[in-house]
Amino acid sequence: MKKAEKSRKKIYKQRGFKQALPFLLPASILLFVFLIIPFFFAFYLSFTNTRLISPIPPRFVGFSNYVRMLGDDLFGKALLNNFYFVAIVVPLQTIFALFLAILVNQKIKGSTTFRTIYFLPTVTTMVVVAVIWTFLYHPEGTINAILSFITFGKWEPIDLLNTERIAFPAIMLLSIWQGVGFQMLIFLAGLQEIPESLYEAATIDGANKWKQFIYITLPQLKNTSIFVIISTTILAFKLFDQVYIMTSGGPNYSTYTVMLHIYNQGFRMQNVGYASSLTVIFFLIILGFSLIQRIFLREEREVF
């Protein structure tokens, strides 16, 4: 009996793989061309002293670039800033996205309009968003004006992006605002997949809204939440555009990130070999972090 069951599962898997193959192939080719090949090329360059524009041909330098990285204080500072950003932005953005998804999932008039409004920042280019928020954070900008108004003039306008203790939180706020619409849509899709009968049964049993949220909504959204957390973490580690445009890593490197460090080394200082070694290590750090998340946040898969 067990042997027949195993055979049946094997047939299902083989049939599923054949059906999935045409859908997987285009994405696999793009990943191979634009991700895997560049990564191995960067891995090769990391063992050379290649410069961006130089008449001197590159030569093999072994692990020199990796040894140099150990004494690179800027890389350490940038890495800490990246982890700080991830630790704050990922949980806040995930919770806020779930909250918005629950709100716009209500069967009320105008919910489609609210979904569009919340999603608009996501489809706006980060460059445009960063420029607009730079004006908002200006000493004579809207945010200082609002703070001054609600404190009855006690708030002294400051340049938020040039204040060391505020600059990075200001960028975090912008990033959460810009990205939350994307996660909201994913949560919304997950919410609409939850059978209404579960809530009806819970209501009959006397469960209030909070208990329904804890014992029905959250467990049913487990796989969706895992996807949102992992994808948000990866996007948070890639922090570059807003930092480059709004602060260029300042003041006093308080908003300096690894991506910005790689850009500066590769394009401004033309140390392509060293920038490649930074890229390889940073990729491995993100990969390791994502794998750890996958271990602790194990998905529930449907069993045929």
Side-chain angles (χ1 to χ4, degrees):
M1 188 68 181
K2 288 184 178 178
K3 191 175 179 181
E5 183 69 19
K6 283 183 179 178
S7 177
R8 189 167 64 86
K9 286 182 179 177
K10 189 176 178 182
I11 291 171
Y12 276 133
K13 283 184 179 178
Q14 288 176 345
R15 190 179 298 167
F17 179 74
K18 286 179 182 177
Q19 290 172 343
L21 193 59
F23 298 97
L24 288 173
L25 201 57
S28 301
I29 293 172
L30 290 174
L31 281 174
F32 186 75
V33 172
F34 293 107
L35 189 67
I36 296 174
I37 292 178
F39 173 75
F40 281 105
F41 190 55
F43 185 70
Y44 160 73
L45 290 176
S46 69
F47 292 101
T48 69
N49 65 345
T50 304
R51 295 186 64 80
L52 191 62
I53 302 172
S54 173
I56 304 172
R59 62 182 177 82
F60 182 76
V61 294
F63 288 93
S64 298
N65 287 326
Y66 292 96
V67 173
R68 176 184 170 186
M69 201 184 306
L70 296 175
D72 188 346
D73 293 335
L74 273 183
F75 175 64
K77 172 73 176 173
L79 198 57
L80 283 177
N81 282 341
N82 268 109
F83 275 102
Y84 174 41
F85 185 84
V86 169
I88 299 296
V89 169
V90 173
L92 285 182
Q93 191 164 315
T94 304
I95 293 170
F96 193 38
L98 177 58
F99 174 71
L100 289 180
I102 292 172
L103 281 184
V104 299
N105 194 42
Q106 305 300 314
K107 294 174 182 174
I108 57 174
K109 193 175 181 181
S111 59
T112 306
T113 306
F114 285 111
R115 292 175 194 174
T116 307
I117 291 171
Y118 294 141
F119 189 67
L120 270 179
T122 304
V123 296
T124 308
T125 310
M126 179 55 86
V127 175
V128 176
V129 172
V131 171
I132 293 172
W133 277 73
T134 301
F135 288 122
L136 294 178
Y137 284 139
H138 191 270
E140 298 178 358
T142 308
I143 292 178
N144 271 300
I146 292 172
L147 291 173
S148 181
F149 176 76
I150 61 177
T151 57
F152 301 103
K154 292 182 180 178
W155 173 266
E156 293 290 334
I158 58 173
D159 191 347
L160 296 166
L161 294 177
N162 278 319
T163 305
E164 191 172 337
R165 61 189 170 82
I166 298 177
F168 213 26
I171 291 176
M172 290 175 185
L173 178 63
L174 147 73
S175 304
I176 292 171
W177 176 83
Q178 197 270 342
V180 73
F182 174 67
Q183 284 84 1
M184 179 200 73
L185 275 192
I186 298 171
F187 273 127
L188 184 61
L191 285 171
Q192 292 177 349
E193 288 296 316
I194 300 175
E196 195 63 32
S197 58
L198 293 178
Y199 293 107
E200 291 171 358
T203 305
I204 294 170
D205 289 340
N208 57 29
K209 292 292 181 185
W210 175 248
K211 286 185 176 176
Q212 289 179 21
F213 175 73
I214 296 295
Y215 296 110
I216 297 176
T217 306
L218 286 183
Q220 291 291 318
L221 286 177
K222 184 178 179 182
N223 290 347
T224 307
S225 303
I226 291 169
F227 174 77
V228 168
I229 290 171
I230 292 177
S231 60
T232 307
T233 302
I234 294 171
L235 290 172
F237 269 117
K238 290 167 60 182
L239 176 66
F240 175 77
D241 294 353
Q242 51 270 56
V243 168
Y244 178 77
I245 292 166
M246 299 173 79
T247 62
S248 297
N252 195 24
Y253 299 106
S254 61
T255 61
Y256 201 69
T257 64
V258 175
M259 290 299 293
L260 188 59
H261 191 47
I262 291 170
Y263 170 81
N264 286 337
Q265 288 294 330
F267 292 97
R268 290 192 170 174
M269 301 179 185
Q270 302 187 10
N271 293 323
V272 174
Y274 182 56
S276 299
S277 65
L278 290 169
T279 305
V280 170
I281 293 299
F282 192 48
F283 171 80
L284 293 176
I285 289 171
I286 297 175
L287 181 65
F289 201 80
S290 301
L291 290 175
I292 291 171
Q293 283 184 323
R294 289 279 298 178
I295 292 170
F296 284 100
L297 304 173
R298 195 176 293 277
E299 289 183 36
E300 289 180 358
R301 295 184 179 276
E302 188 176 354
V303 179
F304 292 98

